[in-house]
Amino acid sequence: MSVVLHTDHMVHLPKVASFVPVPARLIKKDQESDGLYTLHLEICSQQPEHIQQFARFQFGQFNMLSIMGIGEIPISIMGWQDGLLMHTIRSVGRVSEALNNLQPGSQIGLRGPFGQGWPLTDFTGRDLIFITAGLGCAPVVAAINYAVAHKQQYRRIVILQGVKHHQDLLWQSKYDEWRDKGDCQVLLAASEENKRKYHWRLGLVTELLELAEFDPSHCSVMMCGPEIMMLAALKQLNKQQVDESEVYLSLERNFQCGLGSCGHCQLGPYFVCKDGPVFHYPQIKPWFGHTGF
Ligand SMILES: Cc1cc2nc3c(=O)[nH]c(=O)nc-3n(C[C@H](O)[C@H](O)[C@H](O)COP(=O)(O)OP(=O)(O)OC[C@H]3O[C@@H](n4cnc5c(N)ncnc54)[C@H](O)[C@@H]3O)c2cc1C
Ligand code: FES
């Protein structure tokens, strides 16, 4: 019996090359705080197009970082500076700890960039509101940097970030720069602080929304952090007359392939790795916040 292969189905399969890691060398590691570090990586492939591939990422996309013999994990792209790719990582388990133990000069594998990022170009002429908590700031930092550098394209820029203690805030100097030089409204909240510091509020990031100055009918909201925080923020935005069609959020799931092939990250009809991690809220509303999805 002869088997007919339908090539129009095959074109939707990911390229094999996307499963093959590109070598990268650790040039520098910044220890941001206990267990939290930023890797500065040089792409050291023989193929020059690989450098362009990693340099031209969309804000909000991720790469898969691997150590041979240990494993591979998805990590958001924090930035690209002086020819080096930056990833900020919290040591939580096997692979993230092994990455933390690497010395400069070590080689790792990289696949990416993958997924859908923040559609910043659709937000021209609008107020931008970034709502993040904990390490949720990592997937938006490149987008904030871009928005601040192209401020003339937007109206107000409001940045809200929540942490447990003020010492947990990553990149304090960036927030100061965005506030002072970027002319943005930057509001910070610490939920477990016992004394109030200058520029800080006591409480949750969602409580900052009441203090945010923006036009609810001309704004685009970008959120990243624990889903419980994003659900609370959605409720508060609704109270403040922001339509849910203005909301975009970045989701986290356990990824294996990162390419929509293995099914590990399914959310209803979507693959978070391929159709996300950034989603337009109305697209995923029926599944968002429900356990088991
Ligand atoms: C799109 C995307 C972007 C991400 N960006 C970043 C980033 O910029 N920086 C960063 O530090 N982390 C990021 N993560 C989370 C990171 O991928 C996980 O922390 C990592 O996979 C843990 O792997 P491990 O082998 O070190 O730990 P493991 O030994 O696999 O797990 C340690 C603990 O973390 C839990 N865990 C594992 N994977 C996930 C996951 N995907 N989501 C939630 N809990 C998980 C496990 O249940 C376990 O409790 C991102 C995840 C996704 C999906
Ligand atoms: S991680 Fe394999 S389908 Fe998403």
Side-chain angles (χ1 to χ4, degrees), residues 73-76 88-90 92-96 135 252-253:
I73 55 171
I75 299 291
S76 303
T88 298
I89 306 172
R90 189 185 300 285
V92 292
R94 219 159 46 97
V95 183
S96 50
L135 196 50
E252 258 196 33
R253 288 293 181 274

Side-chain angles (χ1 to χ4, degrees), residues 58-201:
Q58 273 173 41
F59 309 125
Q61 282 189 308
F62 66 95
N63 287 323
M64 299 294 288
L65 277 61
S66 57
I67 304 186
M68 194 70 92
I70 296 186
E72 188 182 45
I73 55 171
I75 299 291
S76 303
I77 304 168
M78 207 276 271
W80 175 274
Q81 203 180 341
D82 304 327
L84 300 179
L85 182 65
M86 291 183 288
H87 285 290
T88 298
I89 306 172
R90 189 185 300 285
S91 220
V92 292
R94 219 159 46 97
V95 183
S96 50
E97 264 170 34
L99 286 166
N100 196 10
N101 292 332
L102 293 179
Q103 296 303 316
S106 309
Q107 188 168 299
I108 68 161
L110 276 182
R111 296 192 295 128
F114 293 135
Q116 311 299 320
W118 308 103
L120 269 189
T121 46
D122 296 351
F123 304 156
T124 306
R126 305 175 71 78
D127 289 348
L128 300 185
I129 307 164
F130 295 93
I131 308 174
T132 61
L135 196 50
C137 56
V140 299
V141 71
I144 298 178
N145 279 332
Y146 175 88
V148 171
H150 298 82
K151 187 137 194 303
Q152 69 285 2
Q153 290 177 21
Y154 306 102
R155 298 200 319 176
R156 294 188 58 77
I157 300 179
V158 180
I159 300 165
L160 315 180
Q161 159 78 9
V163 285
K164 280 190 183 161
H165 297 275
H166 76 270
Q167 298 98 310
D168 301 334
L169 181 73
L170 269 180
W171 312 307
Q172 170 83 58
S173 58
K174 271 193 201 304
Y175 286 89
D176 292 341
E177 206 178 301
W178 291 330
R179 178 192 296 109
D180 300 337
K181 292 198 197 135
D183 190 25
C184 306
Q185 188 186 14
V186 177
L187 299 170
L188 305 169
S191 57
E192 294 176 19
E193 196 76 61
N194 49 17
K195 62 174 190 275
R196 188 178 295 196
K197 280 181 64 79
Y198 183 57
H199 283 316
W200 284 82
R201 267 84 182 171

Side-chain angles (χ1 to χ4, degrees), residues 7 43 71 107 146 154 157-158 163 210 221 239 254 259 284 286:
T7 50
I43 313 298
Q107 188 168 299
Y146 175 88
Y154 306 102
I157 300 179
V158 180
V163 285
E210 286 182 34
V221 182
K239 265 197 207 157
N254 211 339
L259 280 161
I284 49 146

Side-chain angles (χ1 to χ4, degrees), residues 246-267:
E246 310 300 353
V247 178
Y248 292 77
L249 32 82
S250 182
L251 298 186
E252 258 196 33
R253 288 293 181 274
N254 211 339
F255 291 179
Q256 300 287 318
C257 69
L259 280 161
S261 295
C262 72
H264 263 85
C265 66
Q266 280 178 13
L267 178 77

